[in-house]
Amino acid sequence: MSILILAEHDGQQLKQSTRQAVTAAQAWNAPVHLLLLGGDTAAVAADAARVAGVAQVIRVDAAHLEHPLAEDIASVLVALAGDYQAIVGAHTAFVKNALPRAAALLDVALIADVIEIKGNNSYVRPIYAGNVLASVTNAAGLQLVTIRTTAFDAAGNGGSAAVTTLAAPAAGTLSRWVAETRNVSDRPELATARVVISGGRSLGERFESVLGPLAQQLNGALGATRAAVDAGFAPNDIQVGQTGTVVAPELYIAAGISGAAQHLAGMKDSKVIVAINHDPDAAIFQVADFGIVADLFDAVPQLTAALKQ
């Protein structure tokens, strides 16, 4: 049997998280199918068909899927589930909103936030804020799995998958899409950025003015601790950590971050970590590759100025 991936896209291209799910799904050594939901997925289907490792792209287009709701996504997954041995998605808000509902309707377990897929339906996933790795085996005939994207490389192009179109089930009536508000930014997406500049609550109202120029200079994304978000100094969509976005960029600069376990769980897999903190005993230095004991309000502007030279 095959593996079905619930794909995420922007209407034109697949999200990188879906390409990482394609890589993860290769562990089953079975044909991989991509499921696209939307109002018109013609353009993204062409992109999806080129992904190496994908055998088939399934389009399900309908007016009510232009802004797909969890109920409607789950309805499609339940209709298709009988043809697959596993349904996989990235551990993102989109998938986390739909896959648990599908698991409940199918009466099977959902194995979430997997970082390694082994044989015999066994998985490795972090628990206790990433301090323990648990090995989990699921005996169910149908596997529902979300994968931590930072643990898998993104699949590249090189494929030539067939594209098929299926009719969408009728729209659900329990909920309806009303409106959408997006934060528009010219910075890279936090989850996939090569460079992330994060700050803590100590930045206060100067969060953007201090970190923004450095992020611009490095073409990086901004991140924040939960404390900075809770205090209203940074928007919640840039929160990094166990309850925010999990990142693993090539360079992570932590400015004024103490190193709480909740935050470390979301960034400790970064390739190079630079910590700037005036407290030499801050826990962030225990995971940092480079540490600067200094006042961030002096160090960050100096670093930004040096990069401009």
Side-chain angles (χ1 to χ4, degrees):
M1 297 181 76
S2 304
I3 310 301
L4 181 65
I5 293 179
L6 177 57
E8 294 180 67
H9 59 87
D10 60 5
Q12 298 297 319
Q13 294 182 323
L14 292 175
K15 295 288 187 69
Q16 178 166 300
S17 58
T18 296
R19 290 178 175 268
Q20 290 163 314
V22 170
T23 299
Q26 306 304 318
W28 276 281
N29 292 317
V32 173
H33 297 178
L34 277 183
L35 173 62
L36 300 175
L37 304 176
D40 180 1
T41 60
V44 70
D47 179 56
R50 292 192 291 267
V51 177
V54 174
Q56 185 174 2
V57 176
I58 301 172
R59 295 177 56 193
V60 181
D61 292 359
H64 66 274
L65 295 177
E66 179 70 27
H67 303 282
L69 302 174
E71 292 81 357
D72 295 325
I73 299 171
S75 178
V76 175
L77 291 174
V78 170
L80 295 175
D83 296 329
Y84 294 94
Q85 69 179 90
I87 300 176
V88 182
H91 195 67
T92 61
F94 174 78
V95 174
K96 289 189 291 184
N97 191 34
L99 222 53
R101 185 177 186 85
L105 292 171
L106 293 165
D107 196 24
V108 296
L110 171 66
I111 309 299
D113 203 16
V114 166
I115 62 171
E116 183 180 356
I117 301 173
K118 299 181 176 180
N120 301 320
N121 296 328
S122 295
Y123 312 92
V124 177
R125 60 184 300 269
I127 59 175
Y128 299 121
N131 291 310
V132 176
L133 297 180
S135 294
V136 180
T137 299
N138 184 10
L142 174 64
Q143 305 289 305
L144 264 66
V145 178
T146 67
I147 59 104
R148 178 174 290 198
T149 55
T150 56
F152 302 92
D153 294 330
N157 288 337
S160 56
V163 179
T164 60
T165 301
L166 299 180
T173 57
L174 295 177
S175 60
R176 63 186 177 89
W177 184 85
V178 176
E180 182 178 70
T181 302
R182 290 177 177 266
N183 291 329
V184 179
S185 172
D186 57 358
R187 291 177 180 141
E189 187 176 351
L190 175 61
T192 58
R194 294 177 59 252
V195 177
V196 174
I197 318 297
S198 277
R201 183 172 54 186
S202 59
L203 281 151
E205 300 291 346
R206 298 171 63 186
F207 190 96
E208 174 65 33
S209 63
V210 172
L211 299 186
L214 181 57
Q216 182 177 2
Q217 194 63 31
L218 294 173
N219 191 28
L222 276 186
T225 64
R226 186 177 66 183
V229 171
D230 289 346
F233 300 137
N236 59 9
D237 62 334
I238 67 169
Q239 180 180 325
V240 173
Q242 186 180 16
T243 54
T245 300
V246 176
V247 300
E250 295 179 16
L251 173 62
Y252 188 89
I253 299 179
I257 293 176
S258 62
Q262 193 278 146
H263 185 77
L264 297 182
M267 47 67 70
K268 64 183 180 182
D269 291 331
S270 302
K271 306 302 183 293
V272 176
I273 299 173
V274 178
I276 303 172
N277 199 300
H278 66 83
D279 179 5
D281 296 324
I284 189 70
F285 288 123
Q286 296 179 12
V287 300
D289 298 286
F290 300 94
I292 302 173
V293 180
D295 186 333
L296 71 90
F297 294 105
D298 295 328
V300 174
Q302 289 176 12
L303 178 58
T304 305
L307 289 169
K308 290 180 179 178
Q309 295 178 356

